[in-house]
Amino acid sequence: MSDIQIEEQEQVAQRRAKLQALREKGNAFPTGFRRTVIAAELYSAYEGSSKEALDDSPVRVKVAGRIMTRRIMGKASFCHIQDMSDKLQLYVARDNLDEGFYNEQFKSWDIGDIIGAEGVLFRTKTGELSVRVDSIQLLTKALRPLPEKFHGIADQEIKYRQRYLDLIMSEDSRKTFSIRSQVVSYIRQFLIERQFMEVETPMMQSIPGGATARPFITHHNALDMELFLRVAPELYLKRLVVGGFERVFEINRNFRNEGLSSRHNPEFTMLEFYQAYAEYQDLMDLTEEMLRGLAEMVTGQTVITYQGEDYDFGKPFDRMTVVESILHFNSALTNEELNHRLGASKIAETLGIPVKESYGLGKIQIEIFEKTVEHKLMNPTFITAYPVEVSPLARRNDDNPEVTDRFEFFVGGREIANGFTELNDAEDQAERFQKQVEEKEAGDDEAMHFDADYITALEHGLPPTAGQGIGIDRLVMLFADAPSIRDVLLFPLMRTKS
RNA sequence: GGGUCGUUAGCUCAGCUGGUAGAGCACCGCACUUUUAAUGCGAUGGUCGACGGUUCGAAUCCGUCACGACCCA
């Protein structure tokens, strides 16, 4: 270790010396302390208890947590500890402790240390519920100081790289991850109540399928076999529906080898669910019900505020087709020009969208949609009738074979969900895979592989089924009012520091 | 990949057209038995992201790089 490092860590050195002194006295890391209660339980149980009531019938408690603040006033001190639920004030007076303990032990402890304390509840003269401590012990010495108490951590990089510090310091951040947990468990409960069965399907796949995206590639040594981290679980979940699990869902990680942004992390969490004997409209209804329920669960109402804008999940969601939505947001365009390839590609070019030779009408329409419509879909909206060309796993529409029985769901200008009636015609699916292979050979490395094993499964008969995927991270962003996907991922991917 | 901004004490931040590196919090010492961003007094703490250039002199100007944030693709 260099001199520079030693000098840089002056406060750490002081704390190490204190730890060394603890080691010499005996067990520096005792584990036997048991608390009887957490802070939030105390606040709710004694919310209405007056100062006098608490003094008249004393309540003994044992609490534990991290020292967050400390105010030493000679022979007595106040400090706040923080546990999993809340902060709690302790009143520690010299004369309430064993002889010498206050001066020789307690005063040498630092902010950040983890302690256990025992005493009786009381109210201070400002009315704050606190513990008058008569026994206290250091459980874990913190060798490094916490960030500044008032401003907390301002540097986003530290929040992401040292999430534990962010969680210690930021109530908002703890809240965000609490919302994430609530969202996931709400969804799980919602689906289980409707007879869906939770399953886990492979994350390492020999043929990556279920989405058009570039996969991560890895290698299995014993089998000497190339494997891909999955970009979606879709094809495995549908195999399960073939197997007779008629309602299945999975909430798990997908991996896509693409760029990072405020809405993209290479690994992200996806809900996918499949319901036999249902069509995409059934899933739109289900989605509407689920999101409305989520909004109410998280915020207590159906209107949520995201980045200063209000979105109402209470009223019926808007529904439009892709083409209708393009015309709606581009009043100068006509249905006629948008519905043949030459007209559509002219529109695309005026919008600055490069149109490749291989693009069909559907692909061009989707490019126009993404450029001119997607970010404007603020209120909860279903967009339907996606072109077959960009929907290789979705069933063709009976009235218009150029589009599929598919929808995507948008709110706040962002895609949250994608669902469709599944393509259960094995021969049509084989043709669609073949098209994808051609696109891959033409240089589109996001195009799908031909999955012959999946075709075999379809040949055994997939009942009419509707399926859907919902990006959990983006959903949590919405309900936690988080501007970046990194704010809802405990450990977002960061470049390694040299 | 492109653009803009940022990187100064453990943390939050100042530092003007180049001239000896600053504050608050934390830490250390003293005082203080109802404080809560405790208070009062005193002290310590810096390879100014890295490397190179311009200059008598660079935290400051220029270039390259690293890392990050935001926007665009």
Side-chain angles (χ1 to χ4, degrees):
Chain A
M1 188 177 280
S2 73
D3 289 349
I4 292 163
Q5 274 172 301
I6 289 166
E7 275 172 35
E8 273 176 353
Q9 299 181 346
E10 189 197 330
Q11 288 187 52
V12 176
Q14 288 163 354
R15 288 173 177 231
R16 275 191 205 285
K18 290 176 181 177
L19 175 59
Q20 186 53 37
L22 288 171
R23 288 189 199 280
E24 281 158 15
K25 276 204 187 69
N27 185 1
F29 292 92
T31 51
F33 184 85
R34 294 291 180 272
R35 65 181 165 198
T36 56
V37 69
I38 59 175
E41 292 170 344
L42 290 177
Y43 290 128
S44 66
Y46 297 98
E47 187 180 25
S49 304
S50 68
K51 189 175 169 66
E52 293 71 28
L54 287 169
D55 290 344
D56 289 347
S57 40
V59 180
R60 274 200 84 74
V61 296
K62 290 176 81 173
V63 294
R66 188 185 294 277
I67 301 176
M68 298 304 291
T69 61
R70 206 166 56 134
R71 296 170 290 283
I72 298 180
M73 302 160 302
K75 300 177 188 65
S77 300
F78 284 95
C79 60
H80 275 100
I81 59 168
Q82 179 169 285
D83 68 20
M84 64 192 282
S85 66
D86 210 335
K87 288 191 174 76
L88 179 65
Q89 182 168 258
L90 306 182
Y91 174 72
V92 183
R94 185 193 67 181
D95 296 343
N96 293 337
L97 301 180
D98 290 345
E99 180 87 32
F101 193 89
Y102 182 82
N103 283 316
E104 288 154 33
Q105 302 285 318
F106 175 77
K107 279 170 92 170
S108 72
W109 298 349
D110 294 295
I111 288 171
D113 289 353
I114 293 166
I115 61 170
E118 185 169 2
V120 294
L121 286 181
F122 76 110
R123 281 193 191 278
T124 64
K125 59 182 190 190
T126 57
E128 180 169 348
L129 189 68
S130 306
V131 179
R132 182 182 288 109
V133 172
D134 49 49
S135 168
I136 188 165
Q137 61 174 307
L138 182 59
L139 302 177
T140 305
K141 182 72 199 165
L143 294 176
R144 291 174 185 271
L146 288 178
E148 195 254 8
K149 65 185 168 191
F150 189 60
H151 298 90
I153 304 170
D155 185 346
Q156 280 296 334
E157 185 177 355
I158 295 175
K159 281 172 161 272
Y160 297 150
R161 286 188 191 273
Q162 294 180 275
R163 182 65 86 185
Y164 49 89
L165 279 181
D166 177 40
L167 293 174
I168 291 169
M169 299 306 296
S170 168
E171 168 83 46
D172 281 352
S173 196
R174 291 193 293 275
K175 181 93 200 297
T176 294
F177 292 103
S178 163
I179 288 173
R180 184 178 179 114
S181 170
Q182 289 170 43
V183 166
V184 171
S185 70
Y186 178 93
I187 290 171
R188 190 167 267 135
Q189 199 54 42
F190 182 93
L191 291 170
I192 288 169
E193 277 168 8
R194 286 161 182 75
Q195 296 176 292
F196 284 85
M197 173 177 161
E198 184 167 12
V199 297
E200 293 170 273
T201 63
M203 297 219 186
M204 300 170 80
Q205 304 177 344
S206 54
I207 299 173
T212 48
R214 196 186 308 183
F216 285 93
I217 305 172
T218 187
H219 183 260
H220 187 277
N221 287 341
L223 296 178
D224 187 22
M225 176 182 169
E226 187 174 62
L227 285 169
F228 302 89
L229 299 189
R230 74 177 187 195
V231 293
E234 173 155 353
L235 301 186
Y236 285 90
L237 290 170
K238 284 192 276 194
R239 282 173 172 96
L240 295 178
V241 181
V242 170
F245 286 168
E246 292 167 355
R247 295 186 181 193
V248 291
F249 77 97
E250 178 164 7
I251 299 174
N252 226 324
R253 224 66 65 81
N254 287 346
F255 306 86
R256 296 186 182 174
N257 204 343
E258 293 164 357
L260 285 76
S261 81
S262 59
R263 291 186 298 281
H264 299 86
N265 194 67
E267 55 177 305
F268 61 99
T269 301
M270 184 84 122
L271 159 70
E272 283 201 14
F273 59 96
Y274 292 83
Q275 177 176 355
Y277 312 109
E279 298 182 282
Y280 73 107
Q281 296 94 332
D282 299 304
L283 296 191
M284 291 198 284
D285 294 342
L286 191 78
T287 302
E288 209 167 313
E289 188 185 347
M290 186 168 82
L291 294 180
R292 195 165 291 144
L294 265 174
E296 284 173 345
M297 186 267 303
V298 174
T299 66
Q301 50 184 18
T302 55
V303 178
I304 66 153
T305 302
Y306 182 72
Q307 303 291 294
E309 299 289 328
D310 286 348
Y311 303 109
D312 189 354
F313 284 78
K315 53 185 187 193
F317 298 179
D318 292 337
R319 299 185 183 198
M320 280 189 274
T321 67
V322 170
V323 168
E324 283 168 0
S325 72
I326 294 172
L327 294 173
H328 181 263
F329 286 101
N330 298 275
S331 48
L333 302 182
T334 65
N335 196 26
E336 288 67 40
E337 54 184 332
L338 193 57
N339 271 304
H340 63 267
R341 195 183 178 283
L342 189 61
S345 65
K346 275 188 184 149
I347 295 167
E349 270 160 34
T350 31
L351 290 166
I353 300 166
V355 175
K356 290 184 192 160
E357 191 75 16
S358 59
Y359 286 9
L361 172 63
K363 174 72 175 166
I364 297 169
Q365 287 175 336
I366 283 302
E367 293 283 332
I368 296 169
F369 171 80
E370 287 178 358
K371 179 104 181 187
T372 65
V373 177
E374 196 169 314
H375 63 279
K376 292 178 184 157
L377 296 171
M378 303 313 280
N379 275 310
T381 306
F382 290 111
I383 299 294
T384 58
Y386 279 71
V388 169
E389 189 182 352
V390 296
S391 313
L393 304 169
R395 182 182 186 275
R396 279 178 209 274
N397 182 266
D398 287 336
D399 299 324
N400 177 1
E402 292 306 309
V403 300
T404 54
D405 288 339
R406 175 181 170 191
F407 69 89
E408 288 195 357
F409 173 73
F410 296 84
V411 62
R414 291 172 185 183
E415 178 202 339
I416 301 286
N418 173 28
F420 41 85
T421 307
E422 301 300 334
L423 175 56
N424 62 345
D425 177 339
E427 292 172 357
D428 189 354
Q429 184 67 78
E431 282 171 30
R432 306 264 199 108
F433 275 154
Q434 197 52 51
K435 263 235 155 80
Q436 289 288 313
V437 169
E438 284 160 20
E439 284 174 28
K440 188 170 273 303
E441 281 164 359
D444 181 357
D445 47 6
E446 291 189 349
M448 292 178 182
H449 294 66
F450 193 103
D451 190 338
D453 182 77
Y454 177 67
I455 296 295
T456 303
L458 286 187
E459 286 170 353
H460 281 97
L462 172 69
T465 298
Q468 182 176 342
I470 298 183
I472 295 295
D473 311 284
R474 291 183 185 179
L475 198 61
V476 174
M477 284 169 67
L478 193 67
F479 289 117
D481 196 15
S484 169
I485 194 170
R486 295 179 160 205
D487 298 321
V488 303
L489 295 167
L490 283 167
F491 299 100
L493 183 70
M494 302 289 280
R495 198 185 293 266
T496 50
K497 276 200 153 177
S498 51

